Amino acid sequence: MDKDKGKNTIFLTALLAAAVYGGWAAFANYDHGLSAALMAGGIQGVYAFISTLSITHVARWAFLKYKCGWHGITAGFLMSFLVMLAIPLAVHSFFMTPNIWLTIAPGLVWGSIYLLGFLISLDFKLRILPNKGD
C-alpha cells in the first residue's frame, strides 16, 4: 500500500509539473504570438510530465546503485539533472522555441529542488525504515 501511495504522489506531482511548466512556457513565449506560445506550452507541459516521472526513476536508480548516502544523492542528482537539461534543450531547439533558456529555467531550478528533496527523503527513509524503501 505504501508503494502505491508513493507512485500516486509522483504521478500527481508530474501532472502539477505539466500544468505549471506548460503555463510558464506559454507565458514566456506569448510575445511571439499565440501559436508560438501554445506550441511552447504544449511541448513543455508534455515534457514536464514525462521528465518528472523519468528523472525520479533515474534518481532512485542511481541513488540505490551508489549505495545510498551522499554518494547516492550526488550521483542521483547529477544523472537526473543531465537528463532534465538535455531533453528539453534538444526538444525546444528542434521546435525552434524562441526563448529556450527562459522557457526551461524554472523547470531546472524547481526540478533541482524536487530532486534534492526526493533523494534526501529517500535516504532518510532507507536509513530509518530499511524495509520501506521499495
mmCIF file of all heavy atoms in Angstrom, residues 95-119:
data_model
loop_
_atom_site.group_PDB
_atom_site.id
_atom_site.type_symbol
_atom_site.label_atom_id
_atom_site.label_comp_id
_atom_site.label_asym_id
_atom_site.label_seq_id
_atom_site.Cartn_x
_atom_site.Cartn_y
_atom_site.Cartn_z
ATOM 1 N N PHE A 95 12.100 22.339 -32.148
ATOM 2 C CA PHE A 95 10.872 23.058 -32.482
ATOM 3 C C PHE A 95 11.075 24.566 -32.591
ATOM 4 O O PHE A 95 10.127 25.307 -32.796
ATOM 5 C CB PHE A 95 9.766 22.750 -31.463
ATOM 6 C CG PHE A 95 9.157 21.397 -31.646
ATOM 7 C CD1 PHE A 95 9.492 20.350 -30.803
ATOM 8 C CD2 PHE A 95 8.259 21.157 -32.670
ATOM 9 C CE1 PHE A 95 8.937 19.091 -30.981
ATOM 10 C CE2 PHE A 95 7.696 19.906 -32.846
ATOM 11 C CZ PHE A 95 8.045 18.862 -31.999
ATOM 12 N N MET A 96 12.317 25.014 -32.441
ATOM 13 C CA MET A 96 12.707 26.421 -32.566
ATOM 14 C C MET A 96 11.927 27.341 -31.628
ATOM 15 O O MET A 96 11.445 28.400 -32.021
ATOM 16 C CB MET A 96 12.575 26.875 -34.019
ATOM 17 C CG MET A 96 13.546 26.175 -34.946
ATOM 18 S SD MET A 96 13.466 26.750 -36.632
ATOM 19 C CE MET A 96 12.327 25.586 -37.339
ATOM 20 N N THR A 97 11.825 26.950 -30.383
ATOM 21 C CA THR A 97 11.211 27.795 -29.370
ATOM 22 C C THR A 97 12.046 29.069 -29.254
ATOM 23 O O THR A 97 13.268 28.978 -29.093
ATOM 24 C CB THR A 97 11.159 27.059 -28.022
ATOM 25 O OG1 THR A 97 10.358 25.885 -28.183
ATOM 26 C CG2 THR A 97 10.579 27.934 -26.927
ATOM 27 N N PRO A 98 11.429 30.242 -29.330
ATOM 28 C CA PRO A 98 12.205 31.489 -29.330
ATOM 29 C C PRO A 98 13.026 31.736 -28.057
ATOM 30 O O PRO A 98 14.186 32.104 -28.143
ATOM 31 C CB PRO A 98 11.145 32.578 -29.503
ATOM 32 C CG PRO A 98 9.959 31.883 -30.075
ATOM 33 C CD PRO A 98 10.007 30.477 -29.568
ATOM 34 N N ASN A 99 12.461 31.558 -26.900
ATOM 35 C CA ASN A 99 13.148 31.854 -25.638
ATOM 36 C C ASN A 99 13.425 30.557 -24.869
ATOM 37 O O ASN A 99 12.841 30.316 -23.811
ATOM 38 C CB ASN A 99 12.299 32.795 -24.771
ATOM 39 C CG ASN A 99 12.139 34.154 -25.398
ATOM 40 O OD1 ASN A 99 13.050 34.655 -26.038
ATOM 41 N ND2 ASN A 99 10.972 34.753 -25.231
ATOM 42 N N ILE A 100 14.340 29.747 -25.391
ATOM 43 C CA ILE A 100 14.560 28.416 -24.807
ATOM 44 C C ILE A 100 14.990 28.498 -23.343
ATOM 45 O O ILE A 100 14.413 27.847 -22.479
ATOM 46 C CB ILE A 100 15.599 27.622 -25.620
ATOM 47 C CG1 ILE A 100 15.044 27.296 -26.999
ATOM 48 C CG2 ILE A 100 15.980 26.335 -24.880
ATOM 49 C CD1 ILE A 100 16.022 26.606 -27.919
ATOM 50 N N TRP A 101 16.021 29.284 -23.038
ATOM 51 C CA TRP A 101 16.545 29.301 -21.669
ATOM 52 C C TRP A 101 15.524 29.860 -20.686
ATOM 53 O O TRP A 101 15.382 29.339 -19.587
ATOM 54 C CB TRP A 101 17.871 30.059 -21.590
ATOM 55 C CG TRP A 101 18.959 29.276 -22.258
ATOM 56 C CD1 TRP A 101 19.534 29.542 -23.465
ATOM 57 C CD2 TRP A 101 19.557 28.067 -21.789
ATOM 58 N NE1 TRP A 101 20.448 28.568 -23.765
ATOM 59 C CE2 TRP A 101 20.490 27.656 -22.756
ATOM 60 C CE3 TRP A 101 19.397 27.279 -20.653
ATOM 61 C CZ2 TRP A 101 21.258 26.494 -22.610
ATOM 62 C CZ3 TRP A 101 20.160 26.130 -20.505
ATOM 63 C CH2 TRP A 101 21.078 25.755 -21.481
ATOM 64 N N LEU A 102 14.787 30.880 -21.099
ATOM 65 C CA LEU A 102 13.735 31.419 -20.240
ATOM 66 C C LEU A 102 12.624 30.380 -20.051
ATOM 67 O O LEU A 102 12.043 30.262 -18.978
ATOM 68 C CB LEU A 102 13.158 32.705 -20.849
ATOM 69 C CG LEU A 102 12.092 33.422 -20.042
ATOM 70 C CD1 LEU A 102 12.643 33.883 -18.699
ATOM 71 C CD2 LEU A 102 11.570 34.630 -20.829
ATOM 72 N N THR A 103 12.372 29.606 -21.079
ATOM 73 C CA THR A 103 11.339 28.585 -21.027
ATOM 74 C C THR A 103 11.701 27.454 -20.061
ATOM 75 O O THR A 103 10.861 27.002 -19.284
ATOM 76 C CB THR A 103 11.092 27.999 -22.440
ATOM 77 O OG1 THR A 103 10.640 29.057 -23.299
ATOM 78 C CG2 THR A 103 10.074 26.883 -22.425
ATOM 79 N N ILE A 104 12.949 27.009 -20.094
ATOM 80 C CA ILE A 104 13.317 25.836 -19.295
ATOM 81 C C ILE A 104 13.925 26.176 -17.932
ATOM 82 O O ILE A 104 14.034 25.296 -17.074
ATOM 83 C CB ILE A 104 14.245 24.878 -20.068
ATOM 84 C CG1 ILE A 104 15.627 25.477 -20.322
ATOM 85 C CG2 ILE A 104 13.593 24.432 -21.357
ATOM 86 C CD1 ILE A 104 16.620 24.501 -20.930
ATOM 87 N N ALA A 105 14.312 27.418 -17.707
ATOM 88 C CA ALA A 105 14.973 27.787 -16.441
ATOM 89 C C ALA A 105 14.151 27.446 -15.192
ATOM 90 O O ALA A 105 14.699 26.856 -14.251
ATOM 91 C CB ALA A 105 15.355 29.265 -16.450
ATOM 92 N N PRO A 106 12.861 27.786 -15.129
ATOM 93 C CA PRO A 106 12.113 27.439 -13.909
ATOM 94 C C PRO A 106 12.086 25.931 -13.651
ATOM 95 O O PRO A 106 12.191 25.492 -12.505
ATOM 96 C CB PRO A 106 10.704 27.968 -14.177
ATOM 97 C CG PRO A 106 10.885 29.036 -15.194
ATOM 98 C CD PRO A 106 12.025 28.569 -16.061
ATOM 99 N N GLY A 107 11.965 25.150 -14.708
ATOM 100 C CA GLY A 107 11.963 23.703 -14.549
ATOM 101 C C GLY A 107 13.285 23.186 -14.010
ATOM 102 O O GLY A 107 13.317 22.259 -13.203
ATOM 103 N N LEU A 108 14.372 23.795 -14.454
ATOM 104 C CA LEU A 108 15.687 23.385 -13.955
ATOM 105 C C LEU A 108 15.851 23.732 -12.477
ATOM 106 O O LEU A 108 16.361 22.927 -11.698
ATOM 107 C CB LEU A 108 16.803 24.030 -14.775
ATOM 108 C CG LEU A 108 16.910 23.596 -16.237
ATOM 109 C CD1 LEU A 108 17.973 24.416 -16.953
ATOM 110 C CD2 LEU A 108 17.204 22.111 -16.335
ATOM 111 N N VAL A 109 15.402 24.915 -12.099
ATOM 112 C CA VAL A 109 15.528 25.341 -10.699
ATOM 113 C C VAL A 109 14.638 24.485 -9.797
ATOM 114 O O VAL A 109 15.106 23.860 -8.842
ATOM 115 C CB VAL A 109 15.179 26.838 -10.545
ATOM 116 C CG1 VAL A 109 15.101 27.229 -9.073
ATOM 117 C CG2 VAL A 109 16.206 27.693 -11.274
ATOM 118 N N TRP A 110 13.335 24.445 -10.101
ATOM 119 C CA TRP A 110 12.406 23.698 -9.254
ATOM 120 C C TRP A 110 12.622 22.201 -9.360
ATOM 121 O O TRP A 110 12.450 21.469 -8.379
ATOM 122 C CB TRP A 110 10.959 24.081 -9.567
ATOM 123 C CG TRP A 110 10.669 25.455 -9.097
ATOM 124 C CD1 TRP A 110 10.483 26.565 -9.877
ATOM 125 C CD2 TRP A 110 10.563 25.902 -7.746
ATOM 126 N NE1 TRP A 110 10.267 27.657 -9.083
ATOM 127 C CE2 TRP A 110 10.314 27.282 -7.768
ATOM 128 C CE3 TRP A 110 10.663 25.269 -6.515
ATOM 129 C CZ2 TRP A 110 10.154 28.030 -6.618
ATOM 130 C CZ3 TRP A 110 10.505 26.019 -5.363
ATOM 131 C CH2 TRP A 110 10.252 27.384 -5.420
ATOM 132 N N GLY A 111 13.009 21.736 -10.540
ATOM 133 C CA GLY A 111 13.330 20.318 -10.697
ATOM 134 C C GLY A 111 14.517 19.917 -9.842
ATOM 135 O O GLY A 111 14.539 18.827 -9.258
ATOM 136 N N SER A 112 15.506 20.797 -9.751
ATOM 137 C CA SER A 112 16.672 20.523 -8.905
ATOM 138 C C SER A 112 16.275 20.447 -7.436
ATOM 139 O O SER A 112 16.727 19.564 -6.692
ATOM 140 C CB SER A 112 17.737 21.604 -9.099
ATOM 141 O OG SER A 112 18.235 21.573 -10.417
ATOM 142 N N ILE A 113 15.421 21.363 -7.022
ATOM 143 C CA ILE A 113 14.938 21.357 -5.635
ATOM 144 C C ILE A 113 14.133 20.076 -5.374
ATOM 145 O O ILE A 113 14.307 19.420 -4.342
ATOM 146 C CB ILE A 113 14.109 22.621 -5.339
ATOM 147 C CG1 ILE A 113 15.019 23.852 -5.383
ATOM 148 C CG2 ILE A 113 13.385 22.510 -3.992
ATOM 149 C CD1 ILE A 113 14.277 25.175 -5.401
ATOM 150 N N TYR A 114 13.276 19.728 -6.322
ATOM 151 C CA TYR A 114 12.496 18.484 -6.201
ATOM 152 C C TYR A 114 13.412 17.277 -6.080
ATOM 153 O O TYR A 114 13.228 16.418 -5.211
ATOM 154 C CB TYR A 114 11.552 18.329 -7.407
ATOM 155 C CG TYR A 114 10.990 16.934 -7.545
ATOM 156 C CD1 TYR A 114 9.997 16.476 -6.680
ATOM 157 C CD2 TYR A 114 11.457 16.071 -8.536
ATOM 158 C CE1 TYR A 114 9.484 15.191 -6.800
ATOM 159 C CE2 TYR A 114 10.951 14.789 -8.652
ATOM 160 C CZ TYR A 114 9.968 14.353 -7.789
ATOM 161 O OH TYR A 114 9.470 13.085 -7.906
ATOM 162 N N LEU A 115 14.424 17.192 -6.968
ATOM 163 C CA LEU A 115 15.337 16.047 -6.942
ATOM 164 C C LEU A 115 16.070 15.937 -5.610
ATOM 165 O O LEU A 115 16.175 14.849 -5.044
ATOM 166 C CB LEU A 115 16.362 16.162 -8.073
ATOM 167 C CG LEU A 115 15.879 15.821 -9.464
ATOM 168 C CD1 LEU A 115 16.946 16.169 -10.491
ATOM 169 C CD2 LEU A 115 15.511 14.346 -9.553
ATOM 170 N N LEU A 116 16.600 17.044 -5.143
ATOM 171 C CA LEU A 116 17.312 17.008 -3.861
ATOM 172 C C LEU A 116 16.391 16.586 -2.726
ATOM 173 O O LEU A 116 16.756 15.758 -1.889
ATOM 174 C CB LEU A 116 17.954 18.361 -3.560
ATOM 175 C CG LEU A 116 19.198 18.684 -4.377
ATOM 176 C CD1 LEU A 116 19.647 20.120 -4.124
ATOM 177 C CD2 LEU A 116 20.318 17.706 -4.075
ATOM 178 N N GLY A 117 15.198 17.142 -2.698
ATOM 179 C CA GLY A 117 14.234 16.757 -1.668
ATOM 180 C C GLY A 117 13.862 15.286 -1.761
ATOM 181 O O GLY A 117 13.795 14.583 -0.740
ATOM 182 N N PHE A 118 13.627 14.812 -2.971
ATOM 183 C CA PHE A 118 13.289 13.406 -3.175
ATOM 184 C C PHE A 118 14.423 12.506 -2.704
ATOM 185 O O PHE A 118 14.205 11.530 -1.975
ATOM 186 C CB PHE A 118 12.969 13.140 -4.653
ATOM 187 C CG PHE A 118 12.816 11.681 -4.968
ATOM 188 C CD1 PHE A 118 11.648 11.008 -4.621
ATOM 189 C CD2 PHE A 118 13.835 10.975 -5.588
ATOM 190 C CE1 PHE A 118 11.506 9.656 -4.891
ATOM 191 C CE2 PHE A 118 13.700 9.622 -5.863
ATOM 192 C CZ PHE A 118 12.537 8.960 -5.517
ATOM 193 N N LEU A 119 15.648 12.812 -3.112
ATOM 194 C CA LEU A 119 16.788 11.964 -2.767
ATOM 195 C C LEU A 119 17.106 11.997 -1.277
ATOM 196 O O LEU A 119 17.410 10.961 -0.673
ATOM 197 C CB LEU A 119 18.010 12.369 -3.595
ATOM 198 C CG LEU A 119 17.911 12.018 -5.083
ATOM 199 C CD1 LEU A 119 18.953 12.769 -5.887
ATOM 200 C CD2 LEU A 119 18.024 10.514 -5.286
#
